[in-house]
Amino acid sequence: MAVKVYVVYYSMYGHVAKLAEEIKKGASTVEGVEAKIWQVPETLPEEVLGKMSAPPKLDAPTITPQELAEADGILFGFPTRFGMMAAQMKAFFDATGGLWKEQSLAGKPAGIFFSTGTQGGGQETTPLTAITQLTHHGMVFVPVGYTFGAKMFNMDKVQGGSPYGAGTFAADGSRCPTDVELEHAFHQGKYFAGIAKKLKGPA
């Protein structure tokens, strides 16, 4: 039976969505792993999204909290709002009370990836504060660490990401994830899927 890795994200302007696609690609390279992308429900009305110049959502299915229990491992992606996860993702976590009551996610590996507006805008605090959600569910946090290698030490160019997970900078919304940031996301997906496969063990 395949190891199911879910990539669950919220993305307003598409930056996190691009990272999610690369993470899925990376996870899919691991033999015996089936990766699937989901997005969490939007909480803002279309009128407000229009005023914020948010583009249409990508064609990814919207997940319900109950569907998380089907996964063997989950990677959560979201943009930051004042150094913490966006309210849309927090609202989704707030709706997982039933799973928490049954501890349906306990023991499952979980990872985090993210987008921030600036270099000091939460590349560390966003995933750090998000870990509390995983802890209450008893999930096993799997950071990417420095397994991406030498590119994590590059000081010549601005790049997102950290030992917590892959990341990018959105700036005013016009900046797109760089090749290195996308490579980091691909690596995280592959690395995480390998860990999820080991934790599940033989069928």
Side-chain angles (χ1 to χ4, degrees):
M1 185 177 293
V3 177
K4 293 184 179 181
V5 171
Y6 283 3
V7 183
V8 181
Y9 75 89
Y10 173 75
S11 187
M12 179 172 284
Y13 295 105
H15 298 80
V16 175
K18 289 179 181 178
L19 295 180
E21 288 286 350
E22 290 302 310
I23 284 176
K24 178 191 174 185
K25 290 177 185 177
S28 297
T29 65
V30 177
E31 184 179 357
V33 169
E34 179 183 293
K36 184 174 182 178
I37 284 185
W38 302 82
Q39 56 186 332
V40 303
E42 178 59 77
T43 60
L44 294 176
E46 288 296 330
E47 181 182 0
V48 174
L49 292 171
K51 290 180 178 179
M52 297 176 73
S53 300
K57 302 294 183 188
L58 297 181
D59 187 21
T62 299
I63 194 168
T64 64
Q66 291 73 26
E67 286 171 307
L68 291 177
E70 301 170 359
D72 297 304
I74 309 167
L75 285 145
F76 296 98
F78 36 81
T80 187
R81 299 291 184 266
F82 300 109
M84 301 175 70
M85 68 170 64
Q88 289 86 345
M89 182 60 79
K90 182 59 168 65
F92 179 75
F93 272 111
D94 286 348
T96 61
L99 296 175
W100 167 80
K101 183 178 180 181
E102 300 297 329
Q103 284 295 284
S104 301
L105 303 181
K108 294 180 185 288
I112 296 170
F113 58 103
F114 40 84
S115 172
T116 69
T118 62
Q119 293 183 66
Q123 290 280 314
E124 185 170 25
T125 61
T126 302
L128 182 61
T129 53
I131 291 173
T132 59
Q133 313 297 312
L134 312 181
T135 300
H136 281 265
H137 278 289
M139 302 188 82
V140 181
F141 177 51
V142 181
V144 73
Y146 284 90
T147 60
F148 186 45
K151 291 182 180 180
M152 292 189 71
F153 297 92
N154 180 25
M155 299 294 288
D156 297 330
K157 297 179 181 178
V158 173
Q159 67 182 53
S162 71
Y164 293 92
T168 188
F169 294 111
D172 61 357
S174 61
R175 182 185 185 274
C176 294
T178 65
D179 290 342
V180 172
E181 291 168 347
L182 294 175
E183 288 176 27
H184 194 181
F186 182 94
H187 169 77
Q188 183 179 9
K190 182 176 181 180
Y191 177 77
F192 179 87
I195 298 295
K197 182 178 179 180
K198 288 179 182 178
L199 289 176
K200 184 175 183 180

